[in-house]
Amino acid sequence: MPQKIALACDHGGFELKESLRRSLSRSDYEIIDLGTHTTDSVDYPDLAHELARAIETGQADKGILICGTGIGISMAANRHRGVRAALCTDPYMAKMSREHNDANVLCLGGRVIGPGLAEDIVREFLTASFQGGRHSRRIDKIELR
Ligand code: RB5
């Protein structure tokens, strides 16, 4: 069964989200595009919460969130229990976010990185695996209290 990947962005991430949607649609992933669908100004928390709910309910296995910097959208997503959103600016961070942090949401800055680098980051995020062991204990200590 293909992994279900939800995408969501605000206006600052719209162009990069469209570019990633096109490249991911050529792969084996099932893509769920939660918007936004135009460059009209929207509030990034609304999109972040919608994507986080898709993770919480199991509608999506992983998510990719994009705003201008990736900062606001990661802050909002991380308010949800069970969501571990990682803002990454290079492929190494993306790999480690999976291996050590079991991140289930990747956050990107559409005004920070270009589409080529974003594709490399996404590839690492979607293919690297959580290593478990001592890292499970540590991520248990992250949960909301
Ligand atoms: C929107 O202008 C911008 O604030 C948003 O995309 C994001 O960068 C917030 O963190």
Side-chain angles (χ1 to χ4, degrees), residues 82-134:
V83 170
R84 289 176 299 282
L87 172 56
C88 298
T89 53
D90 65 50
Y92 176 73
M93 291 174 77
K95 180 172 187 280
M96 298 311 285
S97 80
R98 290 288 308 127
E99 291 188 354
H100 285 195
N101 312 113
D102 198 19
N104 47 15
V105 176
L106 171 67
C107 299
L108 300 171
R111 295 171 181 158
V112 179
I113 60 171
L117 177 56
E119 278 188 38
D120 289 349
I121 292 171
V122 167
R123 190 177 310 112
E124 286 294 342
F125 178 75
L126 294 180
T127 57
S129 301
F130 182 48
Q131 287 179 346
R134 67 188 185 283

Side-chain angles (χ1 to χ4, degrees), residues 14-139:
F14 175 72
E15 273 185 36
L16 184 55
K17 189 263 288 177
E18 290 297 293
S19 161
L20 287 174
R21 186 175 51 77
R22 282 191 295 271
S23 61
L24 286 168
S25 68
R26 294 191 289 270
S27 67
D28 288 337
Y29 301 107
E30 180 182 330
I31 304 304
I32 304 164
D33 184 353
L34 299 174
T36 186
H37 300 291
T38 72
T39 53
D40 293 350
S41 181
V42 290
D43 295 338
Y44 60 83
D46 295 337
L47 284 303
H49 294 314
E50 189 172 346
L51 185 137
R53 278 191 291 273
I55 299 289
E56 286 172 320
T57 60
Q59 186 198 348
D61 300 304
K62 293 200 182 91
I64 300 174
L65 277 171
I66 313 167
C67 64
T69 59
I71 296 171
I73 217 153
S74 61
M75 287 179 169
N78 276 317
R79 303 296 294 171
H80 291 252
R81 194 174 293 278
V83 170
R84 289 176 299 282
L87 172 56
C88 298
T89 53
D90 65 50
Y92 176 73
M93 291 174 77
K95 180 172 187 280
M96 298 311 285
S97 80
R98 290 288 308 127
E99 291 188 354
H100 285 195
N101 312 113
D102 198 19
N104 47 15
V105 176
L106 171 67
C107 299
L108 300 171
R111 295 171 181 158
V112 179
I113 60 171
L117 177 56
E119 278 188 38
D120 289 349
I121 292 171
V122 167
R123 190 177 310 112
E124 286 294 342
F125 178 75
L126 294 180
T127 57
S129 301
F130 182 48
Q131 287 179 346
R134 67 188 185 283
H135 303 296
S136 296
R137 182 182 70 243
R138 292 168 184 165
I139 64 169

